[in-house]
Amino acid sequence: MNSSDPTFPTRRAARAEAERRATAAIPIAEADSGPRRSTFEEHVPSDQPLTRRARRDEESPRTALGALLLRRRLAVAAAGIVVVAACAVAIGAAATGGRQDAAGPANAAGADAVAVVQGPPAVPAEGLPVPTLAAAPAAATPCDNPAFTAALAAKDDGAAIAAAGGGAKFRDAVASGIAPCVSLSDPTHQWVVVNKQRPYDPVDWRPDDLVMPDGVRALEQSAMRSSAAKALSSLVRAADDAGAGEIGYLSAFRSYATQQETYAGRVAVGGVEAADRESARAGYSEHQSGMAVDIVPCSGSCGSLDDIAGSSQGAWVRDHAWEYGFIVRYVDGQESVSGYEPEAWHLRYIGPELAQAYHDGGYSTLEAFFNLPAAPTY
């Protein structure tokens, strides 16, 4: 009989039930206060010793009972061993079942099963291998581009920005610090940043390509650098063609000496604190770069600087100046960064490529555009 016999479970159950009933039918003496005498002893005088046969006959029921109990205990122990063995086989089969291959079930109980029981392999004497991480490639920089550095040396700002991939990429490279060959302090470039923390070097620097803007009404003889002058002429014509009205200007380039006089006049009127909020000290003014201009609205005669903000010319400039390379340098709400009160009339030329990146990026100050510290005070 084996476990593959379909009647095996039924036979085993029947046999177990028969053994249970046979055992239950055997009377088991209950313990009392004294020894129980056998029936034979009742007919034998107490003063006569039992014969060997009589003693054997008396002990035979007890011996049979003990043997039966022993057999039951051995049967239970054997059943427990069978159950434990069956569980071990089932666990081993489950652990190796997913790794059986074409070799069949015998292969599942091979080296893989032993490895599962014994645990992970020992660490080799030379240690575990250490992964090697490849170094991240260095960020590309315009300073490694010969065309870019050649344009910088030639002071051709437009060509340099084009070699960098355009205004936005040029700005990103400079603002992130990966273009150290670009100086934001060099006043010969249109991207120079001048504020209360960034004076000219030398302090009385003066551009050498100043010209008067063509076709623009000037309220005083004040020139601009040639690239900025041409751009202002184009802006003024475009505004007039669009029906916004005529735009003139009050002041453009102011030398170091002229700015000394301008600032001193402001101090005389309102004191140093008020002067510093609306006028730059000599050596710190954007007008000295030759790329800043103060515009006014004109209609027959020209109005004042304060008139530009509410005029049609001022509205057109706010929307379209960037198309010609200009930004409104000092806007409302940015005094803590730029250092100056809003000046709707103060335009600063930075070139069409950078002006578009400035406009598209939603910037309000050159400090933020180039990721520079705020400069509210000297």
Side-chain angles (χ1 to χ4, degrees):
M1 183 184 300
N2 54 56
S3 59
S4 62
D5 186 352
T7 63
F8 176 69
T10 304
R11 295 177 182 178
R12 185 174 58 184
R15 185 179 62 187
E17 178 62 17
E19 291 178 352
R20 185 189 67 79
R21 291 182 178 182
T23 304
I26 299 173
I28 300 176
E30 297 180 358
D32 54 15
S33 59
R36 185 181 181 91
R37 294 173 61 127
S38 67
T39 306
F40 180 77
E41 288 180 308
E42 293 178 355
H43 296 85
V44 177
S46 60
D47 56 346
Q48 294 183 8
L50 294 175
T51 64
R52 181 178 301 175
R53 181 181 180 127
R55 284 197 301 270
R56 186 170 60 249
D57 292 341
E58 177 187 19
E59 292 174 355
S60 58
R62 298 178 183 177
T63 303
L65 176 59
L68 180 57
L69 292 176
L70 178 60
R71 285 198 302 272
R72 289 193 64 190
R73 290 171 183 171
L74 291 175
V76 170
I81 292 173
V82 172
V83 171
V84 171
C87 290
V89 171
I91 292 173
T96 60
R99 294 192 296 274
Q100 292 185 8
D101 54 20
N107 187 57
D112 288 346
V114 174
V116 171
V117 174
Q118 293 179 347
V123 178
E126 63 274 15
L128 295 175
V130 179
T132 302
L133 300 179
T141 169
C143 299
D144 296 331
N145 183 350
F148 181 80
T149 54
L152 285 181
K155 305 297 182 182
D156 189 344
D157 294 350
I161 293 172
K169 290 187 176 180
F170 176 89
R171 177 266 164 197
D172 291 344
V174 174
S176 65
I178 67 169
C181 59
V182 177
S183 172
L184 297 177
S185 299
D186 186 346
T188 63
H189 292 292
Q190 64 193 30
W191 51 72
V192 63
V193 181
V194 181
N195 57 34
K196 292 178 178 179
Q197 296 293 318
R198 302 175 61 88
Y200 293 94
D201 184 18
V203 71
D204 59 350
W205 180 83
R206 180 187 180 98
D208 57 6
D209 59 344
L210 294 171
V211 297
M212 293 294 294
D214 183 41
V216 183
R217 190 189 303 198
L219 302 186
E220 60 181 49
Q221 288 298 106
S222 184
M224 301 183 72
R225 293 191 62 181
S226 59
S227 58
K230 292 177 182 178
L232 182 64
S233 296
S234 298
L235 181 151
V236 169
R237 284 196 300 271
D240 193 35
D241 292 343
E246 182 186 3
I247 296 175
Y249 74 96
L250 176 62
S251 179
F253 170 74
R254 292 201 291 264
S255 67
Y256 178 83
T258 301
Q259 191 64 28
Q260 283 182 312
E261 296 175 1
T262 301
Y263 179 77
R266 299 284 186 174
V267 172
V269 172
V272 173
E273 184 177 352
D276 282 341
R277 296 180 63 185
E278 58 187 19
S279 180
R281 299 177 185 180
Y284 294 83
S285 172
E286 282 202 326
H287 284 280
Q288 191 174 326
S289 70
M291 293 184 289
V293 59
D294 293 340
I295 61 173
V296 293
C298 300
S299 181
S301 61
C302 293
S304 67
L305 297 175
D306 291 329
D307 293 331
I308 193 71
S311 66
S312 58
Q313 292 92 327
W316 188 91
V317 163
R318 286 191 294 274
D319 291 338
H320 300 283
W322 64 272
E323 299 171 8
Y324 302 89
F326 288 93
I327 62 170
V328 179
R329 178 67 170 99
Y330 306 120
V331 298
D332 189 25
Q334 297 298 320
E335 184 177 352
S336 62
V337 178
S338 67
Y340 296 99
E341 293 179 335
E343 295 183 357
W345 59 85
H346 184 104
L347 302 186
R348 162 66 197 277
Y349 182 75
I350 59 174
E353 301 88 358
L354 292 182
Q356 179 175 355
Y358 189 95
H359 170 268
D360 293 348
Y363 293 97
S364 300
T365 66
L366 278 179
E367 288 78 13
F369 184 66
F370 284 121
N371 196 27
L372 295 173
T377 59
Y378 293 98

